[in-house]
Amino acid sequence: MATAPAPLSLSASTLPARLRAAAVPAGARGRQPRRWRMVVRAKIREIFMPALSSTMTEGKIVSWSAAEGDRVSKGDAVVVVESDKADMDVETFHDGIVAAVLVPAGESAPVGAPIALLAESEEEVPLALAKAQELANGQPQQAAPAPAEDDAATPPPPPPPTPAAAPAPVAAGTKGIASPHAKKLAKQHRVDLAKVTGTGPYGRITPEDVEAAAGIQPKPKPAAVAAASAPVAAPSAAAVPQAAVLPPVPGATVVPFTTMQAAVSKNMVESLAVPTFRVGYPIVTDKLDELYERVKPKGVTMTVLLAKAAAMALAQHPVVNASCRDGKSFTYNSNINIAVAVAIDGGLITPVLQDADKLDIYLLSQNWKDLVKKARAKQLQPNEYSSGTFTLSNLGMFGVDRFDAILPPGQGAIMAVGASKPTVMADKDGFFSVKSKMLVNVTADHRTVYGADLAAFLQTFAKIIEDPESLTL
């Protein structure tokens, strides 16, 4: 009669803590005992391309802060990524060694794609390099751990059904990873990220996951609305002419768009689907120029004075601060956030002066100085360039007397400000005088703003500019 073998005991001294031993128990009485198999799972984690903004679909690696072979700790910045608006540091969520860089500086990768491999220890660096080679060769990643040498000749058992039944594929070591915006929301709403199931790429926790865990009603997605009304929107989309791809001119040089330029191009094309109209208004600026000369030594710019005046006028005409996001309703914004167009090297960005109606011109000037500095360095955070409710574009410093601005997607109006120039004017009694006058043109979404609304707003704006002492209150 066969006797069952004594149970095998694996103590901490036998195996390191990070190794997992999977034992196959002996067979029933009368059967030959099976071999004990040890399966080793290496801790190799992937660093993913994060979504740094709601419109970002891919990112470009600007530089690696950590080189291959460097040991990093959780929270360390390892790479600088260029999104469609700014350059941002990306931190690691785990301790380890940067074993392999999959996407070198200067190249791009889609959101959610692995850009580097992180090994837990030096012993696992060769395994990470082998995995990097597999990814480079286009070989599929093995979700199941590699078997021991004893089982190399036998086919591996079928994978357990649990991963196949999961709602979304989750790469090893990525469960619980949250995007920077999701982490910020979790802190605001006191949500434990460890209890949140991610629905993003590779199991990443998205801001929507955090809002759902906090019990916040999700906002209607424009994409879903557009999909539901596709038959109606189809004629409008077809009406927009698509630019033909023309052969290059002999001797010309073709330079691809940067990430930011591609985002600007995309937004400008999207704006063609919005029915807009334009209204111009002349404004006397003699008193505004006098105020500017008084406050200029204190660091107040003309841009800040115009933004403050626009915010005060918007407070009296909230419909101009509203927008149409679904094609069938008004979205009234509780805050008045003035986005101001700024030209930077290789593109255009709109830093936002938040709550411009509630702050005085001196605090606004300090905020604006900080925003411009960060914009030039491409270090703006998403909420600092994507939260505008009204946009101001000023070309007056270049001597431009008038121009039209293109309405940004998601806003109701944008104001284009020209230069203030001496102009001969006649008063109501027929007497001539020379006064400084500037022209402003406002482009508005005709679905939410009508001609009378915009005219009334411009009248209020002109009164504030022509009697600007209220700007200093």
Side-chain angles (χ1 to χ4, degrees), residues 20 41 141-145 157-172 175 202-203:
R20 301 180 181 177
R41 290 189 175 93
Q141 301 181 32
Q142 299 294 330
T162 304
V170 179
K175 185 177 181 181
Y202 301 92

Side-chain angles (χ1 to χ4, degrees), residues 101-457:
V101 172
L102 304 179
V103 182
E107 296 188 7
S108 301
V111 170
I115 57 176
L117 297 180
L118 200 67
E120 188 177 62
S121 65
E122 294 182 359
E123 291 79 5
E124 289 150 355
V125 171
L127 296 176
L129 294 174
K131 183 176 181 181
Q133 188 62 36
E134 289 181 4
L135 294 174
N137 295 335
Q139 297 179 5
Q141 301 181 32
Q142 299 294 330
E149 293 182 2
D150 298 347
D151 305 313
T154 60
T162 304
V170 179
T174 62
K175 185 177 181 181
I177 293 179
S179 65
H181 186 39
K183 291 170 63 177
K184 182 179 179 181
L185 287 176
K187 185 176 181 180
Q188 291 177 349
H189 300 292
R190 298 182 180 179
V191 174
D192 186 359
L193 291 176
K195 299 179 181 179
V196 179
T197 301
T199 61
Y202 301 92
R204 191 179 185 86
I205 297 175
T206 65
E208 290 76 13
D209 298 330
V210 176
E211 291 177 346
I216 299 175
Q217 187 70 20
K219 298 178 181 179
K221 296 183 178 180
V225 176
S229 59
V232 179
S236 299
V240 178
Q242 298 297 324
V245 179
L246 302 176
V249 178
T253 302
V254 177
V255 179
F257 283 161
T258 64
T259 307
M260 178 177 292
Q261 290 167 342
V264 172
S265 175
K266 178 176 177 291
N267 288 340
M268 295 303 96
V269 173
E270 288 180 357
S271 68
L272 295 177
V274 178
T276 59
F277 72 106
R278 296 163 180 82
V279 175
Y281 204 94
I283 303 175
V284 176
T285 62
D286 288 333
K287 292 185 178 180
L288 179 68
D289 295 337
E290 293 175 3
L291 174 63
Y292 174 59
E293 292 300 323
R294 295 205 316 264
V295 298
K296 182 179 179 180
K298 299 180 182 179
V300 179
T301 64
M302 180 60 74
T303 296
V304 167
L305 292 177
L306 294 172
K308 177 66 174 179
M312 294 175 62
L314 289 171
Q316 301 181 45
H317 304 274
V319 70
V320 184
N321 194 51
S323 62
C324 179
R325 296 180 176 272
D326 57 5
K328 58 182 179 182
S329 64
F330 291 80
T331 298
Y332 284 93
N333 300 296
S334 57
N335 301 92
I336 298 177
N337 299 334
I338 307 297
V340 183
V342 174
I344 62 175
D345 185 22
L348 175 73
I349 198 166
T350 54
V352 178
L353 287 168
Q354 300 185 13
D355 296 321
D357 60 318
K358 300 175 183 177
L359 305 180
D360 61 55
I361 57 175
Y362 304 104
L363 184 55
L364 281 176
S365 296
Q366 183 60 49
N367 292 348
W368 179 242
K369 181 180 178 181
D370 295 340
L371 287 170
V372 171
K373 182 179 179 180
K374 294 172 72 173
R376 304 289 188 199
K378 301 181 70 176
Q379 293 296 321
L380 288 173
Q381 297 299 310
N383 65 306
E384 293 175 328
Y385 60 75
S386 61
S387 57
T389 60
F390 180 91
T391 297
L392 176 69
S393 182
N394 180 16
L395 292 181
M397 69 284 290
F398 298 106
V400 176
D401 58 353
R402 71 177 71 188
F403 68 102
D404 289 331
I406 299 177
L407 181 67
Q411 294 185 17
I414 178 173
M415 176 183 288
V417 181
S420 177
K421 296 183 177 181
T423 306
V424 177
M425 303 180 63
D427 59 18
K428 61 181 180 179
D429 297 324
F431 291 99
F432 291 93
S433 61
V434 177
K435 295 184 178 181
S436 296
K437 184 178 70 173
M438 72 176 182
L439 295 175
V440 298
N441 289 337
V442 178
T443 302
D445 184 345
H446 213 325
R447 296 173 299 177
T448 56
V449 183
Y450 302 150
D453 299 324
L454 204 52
F457 163 76

Side-chain angles (χ1 to χ4, degrees), residues 32-68:
Q32 293 296 326
R34 297 180 182 176
R35 293 173 298 177
W36 293 93
R37 294 190 239 176
M38 183 187 302
V39 178
V40 179
R41 290 189 175 93
K43 291 292 185 65
I44 300 173
R45 296 184 170 93
E46 295 174 328
I47 299 176
F48 298 101
M49 175 65 71
L52 302 179
S53 70
S54 59
T55 59
M56 178 176 169
T57 57
E58 70 172 14
K60 180 180 179 181
I61 304 297
V62 177
S63 63
W64 282 94
S65 307
E68 291 184 352

